[in-house]
């Protein structure tokens, strides 16, 4: 089942599975769905560009994904899980589909996989502990800070920012503000 995954990617996938289950427990999501989506979210990550492009065409995915493995692997991964592995659960498929960009209106499971991907235990960046604690205590805040960081990083590298990423940031910020007003 993990033929497309290299060893390090496999370890990352198990790390996301574990973190997703932890976050599901803390924030009241379905732990089994979190585990499955976490384990398989990067199923298409290690495809080379020609293979990825062939999958994009095969599944009729948007042309702008061609040649862009960073954005394509989540969409292709969801298509493989749906059509090759017979996964029917829409929330699991969307959690995989939007794990790189997030999106406005994302479900709890989608948000949790988006965050777990970045804060799993095998990540090595210096602020990992800060982001993990934030993910445990305030999932929306963690999601927002990750999106802000990603957008700033992509801007700095002059890379195109997906509309879903920008809309997700605005949407989650709005939700944080509304929550604070209610207190
Ligand atoms: O697959 P992982 O490495 O575990 O993590 P990921 O699926 O979040 O992929 C991260 C890559 O995706 C990283 O290089 C940043 C990139 N990315 C995230 N949002 C966007 C993006 N790239 C583009 N071009 N546009 C985005 O909005
Ligand atoms: Fe990924
Ligand atoms: Fe990942």
């Amino acid at each position: 089942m993990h033929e497309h995954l290299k060893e390090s990617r496999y370890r990352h996938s198990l790390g996301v599975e574990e973190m997703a289950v932890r976050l599901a427990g803390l924030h009241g999501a379905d732990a089994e769905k979190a585990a499955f989506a976490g384990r398989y979210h990067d199923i298409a990550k290690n495809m080379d560009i020609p293979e990825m492009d062939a999958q994009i065409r095969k599944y009729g995915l948007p042309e702008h994904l061609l040649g862009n493995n960073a954005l394509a692997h989540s969409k292709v991964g969801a298509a493989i899980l749906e059509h090759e592995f017979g996964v029917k659960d829409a929330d699991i498929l969307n959690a995989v589909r939007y794990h790189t960009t997030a999106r406005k209106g994302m479900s709890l499971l989608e948000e949790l996989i988006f965050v777990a991907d970045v804060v799993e235990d095998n990540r090595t960046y210096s602020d990992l502990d800060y982001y993990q604690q934030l993910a445990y205590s305030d999932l929306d805040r963690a999601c927002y800070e990750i999106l802000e960081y990603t957008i700033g990083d992509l801007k700095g590298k002059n890379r195109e920012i997906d509309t879903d990423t920008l809309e997700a940031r605005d949407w989650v910020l709005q939700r944080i503000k509304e929550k604070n007003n209610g207190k």
Side-chain angles (χ1 to χ4, degrees):
M1 186 113 173
H2 48 267
E3 57 181 14
H4 296 302
L5 298 175
K6 283 188 205 142
E7 189 56 37
S8 59
R9 186 58 49 183
Y10 189 58
R11 203 171 320 118
H12 164 67
S13 297
L14 295 183
V16 177
E17 175 179 2
E18 191 184 328
M19 180 57 73
V21 169
R22 204 178 294 160
L23 294 178
L26 289 166
H27 300 297
D30 184 314
E32 280 182 31
K33 290 186 188 191
F36 188 93
R39 178 174 295 218
Y40 295 111
H41 76 286
D42 273 340
I43 186 112
K45 179 80 178 187
N46 287 109
M47 280 185 197
D48 58 22
I49 298 250
E51 194 185 353
M52 191 77 85
D53 287 355
Q55 299 284 321
I56 291 166
R57 294 214 158 85
K58 177 178 172 186
Y59 291 116
L61 294 166
E63 298 254 316
H64 75 89
L65 297 173
L66 292 168
N68 188 344
N69 281 20
L71 290 181
H73 79 278
S74 23
K75 315 303 183 207
V76 168
I80 288 175
L81 289 175
E82 181 174 6
H83 299 291
E84 290 182 32
F85 295 109
V87 175
K88 300 238 180 325
D89 189 282
D91 204 15
I92 291 176
L93 293 172
N94 283 330
V96 173
R97 190 172 285 128
Y98 295 103
H99 86 259
T100 302
T101 57
R103 62 167 175 166
K104 68 171 187 247
M106 65 191 126
S107 72
L108 175 59
L109 186 70
E110 290 173 48
E111 184 177 23
L112 187 153
I113 295 296
F114 174 77
V115 171
D117 188 21
V118 176
V119 306
E120 61 101 355
D121 288 336
N122 299 298
R123 295 288 193 194
T124 53
Y125 56 89
S126 58
D127 291 339
L128 178 61
D129 190 55
Y130 168 79
Y131 282 99
Q132 286 189 338
Q133 296 308 319
L134 198 55
Y136 299 152
S137 63
D138 189 340
L139 192 65
D140 277 347
R141 195 84 220 168
C143 182
Y144 173 72
E145 291 203 15
I146 291 164
L147 285 162
E148 271 290 283
Y149 176 84
T150 303
I151 288 166
D153 186 57
L154 290 167
K155 271 188 188 155
K157 292 174 180 161
N158 259 323
R159 285 169 62 193
E160 193 194 326
I161 303 163
D162 195 275
T163 314
D164 283 335
T165 307
L166 293 167
E167 289 180 354
R169 188 259 320 260
D170 295 346
W171 180 81
V172 81
L173 179 59
Q174 191 57 37
R175 193 158 75 169
I176 289 166
K177 284 181 181 161
E178 280 165 13
K179 251 190 326 198
N180 288 343
N181 284 343
K183 273 179 193 163

